[in-house]
Amino acid sequence: MPISEQLYKSILLSRKSKRLPPSKVAAVASPLLTNFEKWSGKKIRLNLGKVEFENLSENLFAQVLSSPNRLDRISRLKMPSDLLLQMKLDLSECSKSLKLPLHSDKSGKNSYVVNSLAMLKSKIKSAASVLPLHILASNNANMKGVALNRDKLLRDYQDSMTETIASQLNRVSRVPKSVNQNDIFVVYDDKATSAIELREVTDPTNSKTSTQVIVFNFAHLAPLQPLKQIIDSTTDKRIHLSMASNQELIKLIFKYLSFLT
Amino acid sequence: MQLPIINTTKAVISSVQTVLKQPGRFILSCDVSEQSDAEFIRSSYRRFMRLRPLVSQRLNVKHVYTNYIAYKYRYEDYEAKRALVLTNRHLLKHDWRLVVANSLKFVIQSVDETHNNQDVAMAHRIFKSILSWQYQLRRSWKSPGEAYTAYMLSFKHLRTISSTNELTEKEVTLRLFDQCVVFLNETLKTRL
């Protein structure tokens, strides 16, 4: 007969647990957590809470340089698209042709070429050299017969550009207004040598302060001769434009001046 | 589902980005005017270099940025470039310390995407264009060394030429781009 349970328990020694008491040292946090920013793999950002350069959209050059980068088909460089000239492939009619739109937009099939008249005259050999790359890459045989009359295309572009700028300049209000930083003056000045330059002018309303303005000079450029009379008809021989109200016109003139020089 | 946000002594890390808590390391301190020229150049250079991890996560973009800053500090003759673009020489010259400090502020603004702000986005795209031109210099020419000497050191494309026929198509595009950058620098008082 086995011994009774009571007897069995009385034989066993009672002893204390050998486990150590919990340590008094504070738990060490893992460096994985304390230096987590080192290997988080996320974009690192600063939080300054203030913006230093405000109203960049009212600066012509900031606008031009911040336009999205596009591949120039002739020089094969990626440049801001406002520095290039957009070409549109017109598929609407039965005859496919390339066009130079005055205002660039995303619609349709586009390619970009260097914005210089002299370069385009010498470098465009065939339509294939300026067609959008994805059109060239496609096996669509219909796309191969695109007509390109280079001289007529460039002449038409210049004519419509001059006409549009003239009509829009005529519509600009001639009321003298205060001159702000980075405003634009359109002048016809034979003495100045470059088409685009910066000048310090004194404000007509407050003659003590001088402000930096951008000057577009139409002299020395033959296709812009007809616009001389528009500028001469104003009282102080200059047309005052500001980015806030005439942004489209300013970008158009900038594009055309860089096209001609 | 709410993703965890980890808070360390130096940064707050979310599932999207790491936001540093101590931006002081990136900003020029107030006692700039007491520093000597050499000290100012070194301290501003250090701050530009500290921004390297913030410019991009891609290694090659970081390389381009480092080379760009080193070129700006050590090799570029900016006054020569400026004189080639700005034809009327009487334009005011700005204090060079102010110009360097402004450039640092511009780069900081261009990497500061914590707020959804139009000016921040524009600064980001402008700086991206400048870096992408630096990158193309090494990739788009058969001999990058010659291109570097011609366009970055002697500014061949900016020298006044009677007609643009004498330039190649690449030079015409670059000429326009560099002119724009110098004009932008004049209007913002920076030196990008």
Side-chain angles (χ1 to χ4, degrees):
Chain A
M1 181 188 161
I3 57 171
S4 72
E5 194 169 330
Q6 215 174 358
L7 183 62
Y8 173 70
K9 280 200 172 170
S10 68
I11 296 169
L12 290 176
L13 288 172
S14 67
R15 54 172 190 155
K16 284 180 182 172
S17 156
K18 279 188 179 172
R19 188 178 288 172
L20 290 171
S23 140
K24 295 277 167 59
V25 183
V28 179
S30 157
L32 186 69
L33 288 175
T34 53
N35 284 336
F36 186 59
E37 71 275 355
K38 283 189 179 174
W39 42 72
S40 70
K42 309 289 180 205
K43 282 183 192 167
I44 307 173
R45 293 283 165 251
L46 285 176
N47 191 6
L48 292 182
K50 58 175 179 179
V51 176
E52 284 290 336
F53 295 92
E54 288 176 329
N55 296 332
L56 281 181
S57 59
E58 289 179 15
N59 184 331
L60 170 69
F61 302 111
Q63 279 250 344
V64 167
L65 287 172
S66 69
S67 56
N69 278 11
R70 293 288 178 265
L71 178 74
D72 178 356
R73 284 283 279 117
I74 292 182
S75 69
R76 297 190 190 168
L77 292 175
K78 278 187 181 168
M79 283 287 154
S81 60
D82 279 358
L83 291 175
L84 303 173
L85 193 61
Q86 193 186 43
M87 270 198 160
K88 245 181 218 311
L89 181 61
D90 187 11
L91 297 169
S92 59
E93 303 155 35
C94 47
S95 65
K96 297 175 278 292
S97 60
L98 282 162
K99 288 190 172 165
L100 289 170
L102 295 187
H103 299 280
S104 51
D105 59 50
K106 282 185 189 170
S107 67
K109 303 195 180 302
N110 309 313
S111 60
Y112 291 83
V113 290
V114 52
N115 189 11
S116 155
L117 177 62
M119 267 307 128
L120 290 180
K121 268 185 180 167
S122 60
K123 291 291 171 184
I124 299 186
K125 296 280 178 355
S126 65
S129 61
V130 289
L131 271 183
L133 280 174
H134 67 281
I135 299 277
L136 273 183
S138 72
N139 286 326
N140 193 344
N142 295 336
M143 292 300 170
K144 297 286 153 63
V146 176
L148 176 70
N149 187 344
R150 183 184 66 203
D151 297 334
K152 184 173 178 297
L153 187 73
L154 293 176
R155 209 168 43 240
D156 286 353
Y157 177 70
Q158 288 183 61
D159 290 348
S160 57
M161 209 55 163
T162 313
E163 208 173 282
T164 316
I165 290 174
S167 70
Q168 289 198 24
L169 277 181
N170 271 324
R171 264 184 272 147
V172 173
S173 77
R174 305 288 161 83
V175 184
K177 48 189 173 183
S178 63
V179 182
N180 293 324
Q181 181 87 5
N182 302 333
D183 274 3
I184 282 112
F185 285 164
V186 180
V187 300
Y188 196 99
D189 182 1
D190 292 314
K191 290 168 204 155
T193 48
S194 58
I196 303 169
E197 61 182 27
L198 298 176
R199 274 187 207 168
E200 299 277 343
V201 295
T202 50
D203 198 322
T205 52
N206 177 10
S207 58
K208 280 176 188 169
T209 57
S210 75
T211 322
Q212 197 178 54
V213 295
I214 303 160
V215 174
F216 287 159
N217 187 4
F218 282 2
H220 313 300
L221 297 170
L224 289 171
Q225 299 295 330
L227 303 183
K228 185 171 189 279
Q229 49 169 327
I230 300 175
I231 297 166
D232 285 348
S233 68
T234 56
T235 47
D236 43 4
K237 307 276 183 210
R238 69 188 189 196
I239 299 174
H240 179 186
L241 307 173
S242 65
M243 278 303 268
S245 47
N246 316 96
Q247 187 174 324
E248 286 284 310
L249 175 61
I250 291 166
K251 284 174 101 171
L252 208 63
I253 298 177
F254 175 78
K255 207 164 191 180
Y256 197 40
L257 285 180
S258 39
F259 179 73
L260 293 173
T261 47
Chain B
M1 192 186 91
Q2 181 76 40
L3 289 162
I5 288 178
I6 295 177
N7 201 342
T8 65
T9 47
K10 287 180 183 169
V12 179
I13 302 117
S14 72
S15 61
V16 185
Q17 59 187 7
T18 298
V19 180
L20 297 181
K21 282 181 184 170
Q22 300 149 344
R25 296 175 72 240
F26 302 91
I27 303 166
L28 284 171
S29 53
C30 303
D31 56 346
V32 169
S33 50
E34 292 165 16
Q35 289 177 331
S36 71
D37 284 357
E39 277 170 355
F40 177 78
I41 290 172
R42 278 199 299 269
S43 66
S44 60
Y45 188 84
R46 271 199 308 275
R47 278 157 182 79
F48 274 114
M49 285 305 175
R50 279 174 192 158
L51 285 168
R52 181 182 139 109
L54 280 74
V55 170
S56 176
Q57 284 185 291
R58 295 192 184 182
L59 191 60
N60 66 349
V61 181
K62 287 183 195 174
H63 278 319
V64 170
Y65 175 74
T66 317
N67 289 344
Y68 170 71
I69 298 296
Y71 159 74
K72 278 283 172 188
Y73 270 78
R74 297 185 62 185
Y75 304 109
E76 188 190 41
D77 184 359
Y78 185 75
E79 287 308 317
K81 187 175 176 181
R82 188 174 175 271
L84 285 171
V85 176
L86 303 175
T87 42
N88 43 356
R89 303 291 166 82
H90 60 272
L91 270 181
L92 282 175
K93 269 180 74 173
H94 309 298
D95 175 25
W96 66 272
R97 288 191 185 213
L98 174 80
V99 168
V100 172
N102 273 342
S103 308
L104 182 65
K105 284 175 188 166
F106 189 88
V107 177
I108 288 176
Q109 179 170 336
S110 74
V111 298
D112 178 21
E113 280 181 336
T114 42
H115 355 245
N116 194 4
N117 183 308
Q118 193 199 357
D119 292 315
V120 173
M122 281 184 79
H124 182 76
R125 288 200 297 267
I126 292 170
F127 197 59
K128 193 180 154 196
S129 289
I130 292 172
L131 288 187
S132 106
W133 140 231
Q134 297 285 317
Y135 175 71
Q136 291 179 68
L137 188 75
R138 294 189 293 155
R139 295 297 299 269
S140 307
W141 271 269
K142 278 178 186 163
S143 57
E146 278 176 28
Y148 180 85
T149 318
Y151 308 126
M152 307 288 283
L153 298 183
S154 62
F155 310 117
K156 182 187 164 202
H157 57 300
L158 290 176
R159 303 201 174 272
T160 326
I161 291 155
S162 54
S163 73
T164 37
N165 289 330
E166 295 165 34
L167 296 171
T168 65
E169 60 270 25
K170 277 188 174 138
E171 286 165 359
V172 171
T173 320
L174 286 188
R175 183 187 167 94
L176 205 52
F177 183 81
D178 267 353
Q179 282 173 345
C180 254
V181 172
V182 173
F183 283 134
L184 179 79
N185 283 341
E186 284 306 305
T187 51
L188 297 183
K189 299 190 182 71
T190 55
R191 189 169 165 174
L192 298 170

